[in-house]
Structures are given as structure tokens and as C-alpha cells.
Amino acid sequence: TLRAKPKGIVVSDAPTAALSDSDYTRLTTFRIINDSVQAVRTACDSFIGEAVGSDKQAAMETAINGGLDKLVKAGWLTRKKFTVQRTPSSAVLGECTIEL
């Protein structure tokens, strides 16, 4: 799906092999989701191996928020929403779940 423009040949569509009812039918969507996940991983990298208490969880949420804010400012995201979940059993293991 190429299109001739005054500046040259450009890609005008980037479908993926996903089924038509999938959220991943466009390559741009796939890239934005990947960039969002990478931003979260980068923000949380310094917390790996640390005990996850309330103070560390708040710091992690602040780091994630900052990473996702960069994507909003760049125009890749229009809004962001995430939650950091920690159950008593996952707190003992030093784990948490992040939903985007």
C-alpha cells in the first residue's frame, strides 16, 4: 500500500496479519503499544529486586507516569491510564502487576 506524493513514494497503510476484530490490525497500533510497554519496563527497571512497600510502589507509579507522559507529549498517546496492583501474597514475593 504505497502512494506517490510530491515528496516521493510513501506508505499509506500498514495492515498486520491480525484478524479483523483484533486491536492489532494496524502496525501503528502495534508500535504504540510496544513503545508504551517499553516505557513501563524502563521506568520499573530500577525497582527490580527491591522490596515493594507502599513508598516504593508510589515511586514506581510516579516513574511510570513520567514515562507515559513522554509518549503523550510526543503525540503517540492521547491519554494514559494504568494501575499497579499488589496483593498480600504478591507483596510477600516482591511482585506487582501493572495494567495499562
Side-chain angles (χ1 to χ4, degrees):
T1 53
L2 302 173
R3 182 177 285 178
K5 295 227 175 184
K7 63 180 178 180
I9 304 293
V10 297
V11 176
S12 63
D13 194 13
T16 64
L19 296 174
S20 61
D21 61 343
S22 172
D23 290 335
Y24 300 95
T25 57
R26 295 282 172 248
L27 186 59
T28 51
T29 303
F30 185 80
R31 287 181 177 163
I32 291 167
I33 290 170
N34 186 53
D35 287 349
S36 300
V37 170
Q38 284 304 114
V40 170
R41 286 182 176 161
T42 301
C44 293
D45 198 36
S46 63
F47 297 97
I48 293 176
E50 297 289 326
V52 181
S54 298
D55 56 337
K56 290 285 186 177
Q57 183 174 339
M60 186 184 333
E61 290 173 359
T62 301
I64 293 168
N65 197 39
L68 294 176
D69 274 343
K70 290 178 184 176
L71 294 176
V72 171
K73 288 177 185 173
W76 285 96
L77 300 175
T78 55
R79 60 185 167 86
K80 63 185 179 348
K81 181 180 179 183
F82 69 93
T83 57
V84 178
Q85 299 175 348
R86 188 171 51 118
T87 63
S89 61
S90 66
V92 170
L93 297 172
E95 299 175 346
C96 63
T97 303
I98 301 167
E99 288 187 14
L100 291 175

